Structures are given as C-alpha cells and as structure tokens.
Amino acid sequence: MYGRNSSYNPDALEAGGGRGRSGMSASEMNASIMEQQNNDRIAQLGESVARLKGLTLDIGNEVREQNSLLDNMGDGFSNTRDLLSGSLKRIGTMLEKGGAKHMCYMVGFVVAVMVLLYWLMSSKR
C-alpha cells in the first residue's frame, strides 16, 4: 500500500508533525474536522430551534382559539342562566296566583314526561 517513496510516517503523525495529502498537519486536519462537526451541529440546532418556534406558534394559535371558544361558552351559559331564572320567576308567580291547582297540573306534566321517556328508552332495547 505504501511504497518506499511514500511519506507516511506514523510517528510524525502522532506527534502532529506529519502533513496530509492536502498539505495540512494532523492538528490542522483535526481542527478542520472539529470545525465541520461544529458547523453541522449548529445547523442541526438551527433546525431544532425552527421546529420549536413553529410548535410554539401553533400552541399560541390553539390557545387563542380555545380561549375564544371558552368565552363563547361562557356567554351561552350566561344566556341560559338568564332564561332559567326568568322561567323560575314566572313559575313562582303562577304558583302564587293559581295555588294548588296549577301545582297539580305541573306535577302531572312532569310525571307524564318521565313515563314517556321511560317508555321511549325501554322500547329501543
């Protein structure tokens, strides 16, 4: 592999005094290899940072959408609460004016609805 005219000298390479084919010493070649590895790792780090930036932007967008949905749900619950409180006030007024007769009608209606729901649930089996 190495002829007599070859300039290969392992002792000189180990000592850092040998020259490679490109005219660089072993320490220069080592520095060059380390520089290339550093550049590769910097590129990988840049790619990782770009991916993380994309993820954080996506998370931020998702959080904004979720907050918007939660605000809308809060408004919906508020409207429902207002409707229920208005209905309860009307029922209270009706019970005060009508007495026991209206209360019997309401209890009968609730019982009828419960029987209807029970019948619907049992007929689907």
Side-chain angles (χ1 to χ4, degrees), residues 5-109:
N5 295 334
S6 174
S7 64
Y8 176 72
N9 184 354
D11 294 329
L13 284 176
E14 288 178 7
R19 298 268 175 199
R21 292 184 182 185
S22 63
M24 296 186 344
S25 70
S27 63
E28 290 171 339
M29 288 179 70
N30 190 23
S32 174
I33 290 170
M34 290 181 77
E35 184 71 27
Q36 181 61 37
Q37 288 175 346
N38 283 342
N39 290 339
D40 291 343
R41 291 199 176 154
I42 287 171
Q44 289 173 351
L45 184 61
E47 292 170 2
S48 295
V49 167
R51 272 186 269 133
L52 286 174
K53 180 181 177 184
L55 282 173
T56 55
L57 290 174
D58 290 343
I59 289 171
N61 291 336
E62 185 67 25
V63 165
R64 278 189 286 283
E65 288 176 19
Q66 294 294 325
N67 281 338
S68 174
L69 288 173
L70 287 173
D71 289 341
N72 290 339
M73 280 180 58
D75 293 342
F77 283 128
S78 174
N79 292 339
T80 303
R81 185 187 67 229
D82 293 341
L83 286 172
L84 284 174
S85 65
S87 296
L88 288 175
K89 285 179 186 176
R90 285 192 296 272
I91 289 173
T93 305
M94 181 185 71
L95 288 176
E96 287 175 4
K97 290 182 180 177
K101 180 179 175 185
H102 289 290
M103 183 60 133
C104 288
Y105 286 146
M106 192 171 354
V107 169
F109 175 74

